[in-house]
Amino acid sequence: MVLAPLGSLVGALLALLWLGSCWLRRRAAGWAHRSLCAVGPARPYDVRALVVTAHPDDEAMFFAPTILSLVRFQAQLWLLCASAGNYYNQGEIRKNELVQSCAVLGIPPSNVTVIDHRDLPDNPAVKWDTCLLSDFVLKHIETNNINLVITFDVGGVSGHANHIALYAALRYLHSERKLPEGCQVLTLKSVNLLRKYISILDVPISCLWSQDVLFILTKEDSAQAKRAMKCHRSQLLWFRHIYVLFSRFMVINSLCHL
């Protein structure tokens, strides 16, 4: 007898949460514009942003909301991927998939670079050398006059050691004051497992939670993010299809200033 009213109440609350998430999602572009200007150049189209990832598909799986939002604001974007993703000897295939995915997201092939150094293999059991990695990143920043760098936070979103190594490299450059003057760093905020897989239902939580920049994709932009992920055909195993459907990182990016 008690379960029926309780079920109705839960259903009503979920419906309200869904409607609230949709409403906030439609209003998010203006907030993102203002918050981006607060941490970077005064005009978004003066942003020269470098997204630093560990593997081909990171850009679509984790950073699509950031990349698509920056493209919408007319920022210039580059992508630096530390490895070719050769763990299963698919490196060449995955590099080609990366270029295709970036083209869908709005990053031209000429602005996509894969380091693919023998000492930076796609392997969570191998500790990447912070100094070596930071040298590659710094050279790319200086060569392209980058004023905004975006990468993983200390949790690496998924806890992957290669993701966390990128944070360590940027943290090193920042703490040692090696970054060019005016170059800012934003790190992608990791969330708990529940929030990670509730898709747009996490929008209200993300709006309330502390972050410096918040990017939330519209329904149309989310479809573009999914098209980018589909370029990584070699990686589309059954569990990644589930990830694409339910991960909040396909819709929401919360970023914090380093």
mmCIF file of all heavy atoms in Angstrom, residues 20-47:
data_model
loop_
_atom_site.group_PDB
_atom_site.id
_atom_site.type_symbol
_atom_site.label_atom_id
_atom_site.label_comp_id
_atom_site.label_asym_id
_atom_site.label_seq_id
_atom_site.Cartn_x
_atom_site.Cartn_y
_atom_site.Cartn_z
ATOM 1 N N GLY A 20 13.735 20.494 -15.018
ATOM 2 C CA GLY A 20 14.676 21.516 -14.567
ATOM 3 C C GLY A 20 16.001 21.427 -15.293
ATOM 4 O O GLY A 20 16.592 22.452 -15.664
ATOM 5 N N SER A 21 16.460 20.201 -15.528
ATOM 6 C CA SER A 21 17.718 19.999 -16.245
ATOM 7 C C SER A 21 17.619 20.530 -17.664
ATOM 8 O O SER A 21 18.539 21.182 -18.173
ATOM 9 C CB SER A 21 18.081 18.508 -16.267
ATOM 10 O OG SER A 21 18.270 18.012 -14.952
ATOM 11 N N CYS A 22 16.490 20.257 -18.332
ATOM 12 C CA CYS A 22 16.287 20.729 -19.711
ATOM 13 C C CYS A 22 16.250 22.256 -19.765
ATOM 14 O O CYS A 22 16.814 22.869 -20.680
ATOM 15 C CB CYS A 22 14.999 20.133 -20.280
ATOM 16 S SG CYS A 22 15.062 18.343 -20.531
ATOM 17 N N TRP A 23 15.594 22.871 -18.775
ATOM 18 C CA TRP A 23 15.496 24.327 -18.741
ATOM 19 C C TRP A 23 16.868 24.962 -18.524
ATOM 20 O O TRP A 23 17.259 25.909 -19.221
ATOM 21 C CB TRP A 23 14.539 24.762 -17.631
ATOM 22 C CG TRP A 23 14.362 26.248 -17.535
ATOM 23 C CD1 TRP A 23 13.581 27.053 -18.314
ATOM 24 C CD2 TRP A 23 15.014 27.114 -16.594
ATOM 25 N NE1 TRP A 23 13.693 28.363 -17.913
ATOM 26 C CE2 TRP A 23 14.562 28.436 -16.859
ATOM 27 C CE3 TRP A 23 15.904 26.906 -15.551
ATOM 28 C CZ2 TRP A 23 14.996 29.534 -16.126
ATOM 29 C CZ3 TRP A 23 16.347 28.001 -14.818
ATOM 30 C CH2 TRP A 23 15.890 29.292 -15.106
ATOM 31 N N LEU A 24 17.625 24.433 -17.572
ATOM 32 C CA LEU A 24 18.961 24.947 -17.303
ATOM 33 C C LEU A 24 19.882 24.731 -18.491
ATOM 34 O O LEU A 24 20.737 25.582 -18.794
ATOM 35 C CB LEU A 24 19.550 24.268 -16.060
ATOM 36 C CG LEU A 24 18.928 24.657 -14.719
ATOM 37 C CD1 LEU A 24 19.382 23.704 -13.636
ATOM 38 C CD2 LEU A 24 19.296 26.092 -14.358
ATOM 39 N N ARG A 25 19.705 23.619 -19.167
ATOM 40 C CA ARG A 25 20.536 23.290 -20.326
ATOM 41 C C ARG A 25 20.382 24.344 -21.424
ATOM 42 O O ARG A 25 21.347 24.736 -22.074
ATOM 43 C CB ARG A 25 20.130 21.910 -20.843
ATOM 44 C CG ARG A 25 21.040 21.311 -21.886
ATOM 45 C CD ARG A 25 20.518 19.951 -22.287
ATOM 46 N NE ARG A 25 21.423 19.251 -23.167
ATOM 47 C CZ ARG A 25 21.146 18.062 -23.697
ATOM 48 N NH1 ARG A 25 20.005 17.461 -23.406
ATOM 49 N NH2 ARG A 25 22.017 17.482 -24.499
ATOM 50 N N ARG A 26 19.152 24.817 -21.628
ATOM 51 C CA ARG A 26 18.894 25.819 -22.661
ATOM 52 C C ARG A 26 19.506 27.175 -22.310
ATOM 53 O O ARG A 26 19.837 27.963 -23.191
ATOM 54 C CB ARG A 26 17.387 25.964 -22.888
ATOM 55 C CG ARG A 26 16.742 24.792 -23.606
ATOM 56 C CD ARG A 26 15.356 25.149 -24.088
ATOM 57 N NE ARG A 26 14.443 25.436 -22.985
ATOM 58 C CZ ARG A 26 13.685 24.522 -22.379
ATOM 59 N NH1 ARG A 26 13.740 23.260 -22.781
ATOM 60 N NH2 ARG A 26 12.878 24.860 -21.395
ATOM 61 N N ARG A 27 19.664 27.467 -21.032
ATOM 62 C CA ARG A 27 20.171 28.770 -20.588
ATOM 63 C C ARG A 27 21.694 28.782 -20.387
ATOM 64 O O ARG A 27 22.272 29.833 -20.115
ATOM 65 C CB ARG A 27 19.509 29.167 -19.272
ATOM 66 C CG ARG A 27 18.017 29.398 -19.381
ATOM 67 C CD ARG A 27 17.427 29.747 -18.022
ATOM 68 N NE ARG A 27 18.032 30.948 -17.454
ATOM 69 C CZ ARG A 27 17.618 32.183 -17.709
ATOM 70 N NH1 ARG A 27 16.596 32.386 -18.527
ATOM 71 N NH2 ARG A 27 18.212 33.228 -17.151
ATOM 72 N N ALA A 28 22.330 27.623 -20.534
ATOM 73 C CA ALA A 28 23.717 27.485 -20.093
ATOM 74 C C ALA A 28 24.729 28.224 -20.953
ATOM 75 O O ALA A 28 25.800 28.597 -20.471
ATOM 76 C CB ALA A 28 24.098 26.009 -20.034
ATOM 77 N N ALA A 29 24.442 28.439 -22.239
ATOM 78 C CA ALA A 29 25.443 29.037 -23.130
ATOM 79 C C ALA A 29 25.886 30.410 -22.642
ATOM 80 O O ALA A 29 27.075 30.739 -22.666
ATOM 81 C CB ALA A 29 24.890 29.129 -24.551
ATOM 82 N N GLY A 30 24.952 31.227 -22.188
ATOM 83 C CA GLY A 30 25.299 32.565 -21.701
ATOM 84 C C GLY A 30 26.176 32.516 -20.469
ATOM 85 O O GLY A 30 27.125 33.308 -20.332
ATOM 86 N N TRP A 31 25.879 31.582 -19.571
ATOM 87 C CA TRP A 31 26.701 31.445 -18.364
ATOM 88 C C TRP A 31 28.119 31.047 -18.723
ATOM 89 O O TRP A 31 29.082 31.558 -18.163
ATOM 90 C CB TRP A 31 26.099 30.401 -17.434
ATOM 91 C CG TRP A 31 24.692 30.665 -17.020
ATOM 92 C CD1 TRP A 31 24.050 31.877 -17.004
ATOM 93 C CD2 TRP A 31 23.736 29.706 -16.563
ATOM 94 N NE1 TRP A 31 22.764 31.729 -16.569
ATOM 95 C CE2 TRP A 31 22.538 30.410 -16.289
ATOM 96 C CE3 TRP A 31 23.777 28.338 -16.355
ATOM 97 C CZ2 TRP A 31 21.383 29.775 -15.824
ATOM 98 C CZ3 TRP A 31 22.642 27.697 -15.888
ATOM 99 C CH2 TRP A 31 21.458 28.413 -15.623
ATOM 100 N N ALA A 32 28.250 30.107 -19.668
ATOM 101 C CA ALA A 32 29.570 29.624 -20.073
ATOM 102 C C ALA A 32 30.392 30.760 -20.666
ATOM 103 O O ALA A 32 31.584 30.899 -20.389
ATOM 104 C CB ALA A 32 29.424 28.484 -21.082
ATOM 105 N N HIS A 33 29.751 31.595 -21.473
ATOM 106 C CA HIS A 33 30.430 32.734 -22.088
ATOM 107 C C HIS A 33 31.006 33.650 -21.011
ATOM 108 O O HIS A 33 32.176 34.047 -21.065
ATOM 109 C CB HIS A 33 29.429 33.478 -22.970
ATOM 110 C CG HIS A 33 30.015 34.611 -23.745
ATOM 111 N ND1 HIS A 33 30.323 35.833 -23.171
ATOM 112 C CD2 HIS A 33 30.365 34.712 -25.045
ATOM 113 C CE1 HIS A 33 30.827 36.634 -24.096
ATOM 114 N NE2 HIS A 33 30.856 35.984 -25.244
ATOM 115 N N ARG A 34 30.204 33.994 -20.009
ATOM 116 C CA ARG A 34 30.656 34.895 -18.957
ATOM 117 C C ARG A 34 31.747 34.271 -18.102
ATOM 118 O O ARG A 34 32.723 34.929 -17.735
ATOM 119 C CB ARG A 34 29.470 35.317 -18.079
ATOM 120 C CG ARG A 34 28.498 36.253 -18.797
ATOM 121 C CD ARG A 34 27.500 36.844 -17.823
ATOM 122 N NE ARG A 34 26.619 35.836 -17.252
ATOM 123 C CZ ARG A 34 25.483 35.442 -17.818
ATOM 124 N NH1 ARG A 34 25.109 35.941 -18.989
ATOM 125 N NH2 ARG A 34 24.717 34.540 -17.236
ATOM 126 N N SER A 35 31.593 33.000 -17.752
ATOM 127 C CA SER A 35 32.591 32.357 -16.884
ATOM 128 C C SER A 35 33.912 32.157 -17.607
ATOM 129 O O SER A 35 34.981 32.249 -17.007
ATOM 130 C CB SER A 35 32.056 31.023 -16.346
ATOM 131 O OG SER A 35 31.769 30.121 -17.399
ATOM 132 N N LEU A 36 33.851 31.916 -18.925
ATOM 133 C CA LEU A 36 35.086 31.767 -19.695
ATOM 134 C C LEU A 36 35.847 33.090 -19.728
ATOM 135 O O LEU A 36 37.064 33.121 -19.541
ATOM 136 C CB LEU A 36 34.759 31.314 -21.121
ATOM 137 C CG LEU A 36 35.948 31.180 -22.076
ATOM 138 C CD1 LEU A 36 36.923 30.121 -21.574
ATOM 139 C CD2 LEU A 36 35.474 30.831 -23.486
ATOM 140 N N CYS A 37 35.146 34.181 -19.943
ATOM 141 C CA CYS A 37 35.786 35.498 -19.965
ATOM 142 C C CYS A 37 36.392 35.849 -18.612
ATOM 143 O O CYS A 37 37.364 36.609 -18.539
ATOM 144 C CB CYS A 37 34.775 36.566 -20.372
ATOM 145 S SG CYS A 37 34.253 36.434 -22.101
ATOM 146 N N ALA A 38 35.824 35.284 -17.554
ATOM 147 C CA ALA A 38 36.327 35.594 -16.212
ATOM 148 C C ALA A 38 37.689 34.971 -15.943
ATOM 149 O O ALA A 38 38.452 35.473 -15.120
ATOM 150 C CB ALA A 38 35.327 35.110 -15.162
ATOM 151 N N VAL A 39 38.016 33.872 -16.634
ATOM 152 C CA VAL A 39 39.295 33.203 -16.373
ATOM 153 C C VAL A 39 40.287 33.332 -17.523
ATOM 154 O O VAL A 39 41.451 32.979 -17.387
ATOM 155 C CB VAL A 39 39.087 31.697 -16.082
ATOM 156 C CG1 VAL A 39 38.229 31.514 -14.861
ATOM 157 C CG2 VAL A 39 38.504 30.965 -17.284
ATOM 158 N N GLY A 40 39.838 33.824 -18.667
ATOM 159 C CA GLY A 40 40.720 33.924 -19.821
ATOM 160 C C GLY A 40 40.699 35.310 -20.420
ATOM 161 O O GLY A 40 40.382 36.286 -19.741
ATOM 162 N N PRO A 41 41.042 35.421 -21.704
ATOM 163 C CA PRO A 41 40.989 36.712 -22.389
ATOM 164 C C PRO A 41 39.591 37.328 -22.317
ATOM 165 O O PRO A 41 38.595 36.618 -22.226
ATOM 166 C CB PRO A 41 41.359 36.343 -23.836
ATOM 167 C CG PRO A 41 42.164 35.093 -23.711
ATOM 168 C CD PRO A 41 41.555 34.349 -22.562
ATOM 169 N N ALA A 42 39.537 38.643 -22.377
ATOM 170 C CA ALA A 42 38.259 39.351 -22.232
ATOM 171 C C ALA A 42 37.278 38.985 -23.335
ATOM 172 O O ALA A 42 36.069 39.000 -23.128
ATOM 173 C CB ALA A 42 38.498 40.859 -22.220
ATOM 174 N N ARG A 43 37.801 38.645 -24.508
ATOM 175 C CA ARG A 43 36.933 38.278 -25.628
ATOM 176 C C ARG A 43 37.185 36.817 -25.985
ATOM 177 O O ARG A 43 38.333 36.436 -26.248
ATOM 178 C CB ARG A 43 37.214 39.177 -26.830
ATOM 179 C CG ARG A 43 36.915 40.652 -26.564
ATOM 180 C CD ARG A 43 37.392 41.531 -27.696
ATOM 181 N NE ARG A 43 38.835 41.444 -27.876
ATOM 182 C CZ ARG A 43 39.529 42.192 -28.745
ATOM 183 N NH1 ARG A 43 38.892 43.084 -29.481
ATOM 184 N NH2 ARG A 43 40.831 42.060 -28.842
ATOM 185 N N PRO A 44 36.146 35.972 -26.012
ATOM 186 C CA PRO A 44 36.338 34.557 -26.289
ATOM 187 C C PRO A 44 37.061 34.273 -27.596
ATOM 188 O O PRO A 44 37.817 33.310 -27.707
ATOM 189 C CB PRO A 44 34.906 34.005 -26.316
ATOM 190 C CG PRO A 44 34.135 34.922 -25.450
ATOM 191 C CD PRO A 44 34.738 36.283 -25.678
ATOM 192 N N TYR A 45 36.863 35.137 -28.625
ATOM 193 C CA TYR A 45 37.524 34.860 -29.899
ATOM 194 C C TYR A 45 39.022 35.174 -29.859
ATOM 195 O O TYR A 45 39.736 34.928 -30.826
ATOM 196 C CB TYR A 45 36.834 35.592 -31.055
ATOM 197 C CG TYR A 45 36.569 37.067 -30.838
ATOM 198 C CD1 TYR A 45 37.581 38.008 -31.043
ATOM 199 C CD2 TYR A 45 35.314 37.512 -30.453
ATOM 200 C CE1 TYR A 45 37.352 39.353 -30.846
ATOM 201 C CE2 TYR A 45 35.075 38.870 -30.256
ATOM 202 C CZ TYR A 45 36.092 39.786 -30.459
ATOM 203 O OH TYR A 45 35.849 41.119 -30.270
ATOM 204 N N ASP A 46 39.511 35.729 -28.734
ATOM 205 C CA ASP A 46 40.954 35.887 -28.541
ATOM 206 C C ASP A 46 41.572 34.659 -27.876
ATOM 207 O O ASP A 46 42.795 34.602 -27.691
ATOM 208 C CB ASP A 46 41.242 37.115 -27.676
ATOM 209 C CG ASP A 46 41.004 38.424 -28.417
ATOM 210 O OD1 ASP A 46 41.099 38.417 -29.659
ATOM 211 O OD2 ASP A 46 40.716 39.438 -27.759
ATOM 212 N N VAL A 47 40.745 33.699 -27.500
ATOM 213 C CA VAL A 47 41.240 32.489 -26.842
ATOM 214 C C VAL A 47 41.968 31.609 -27.854
ATOM 215 O O VAL A 47 41.460 31.326 -28.943
ATOM 216 C CB VAL A 47 40.078 31.698 -26.201
ATOM 217 C CG1 VAL A 47 40.565 30.332 -25.712
ATOM 218 C CG2 VAL A 47 39.471 32.487 -25.051
#
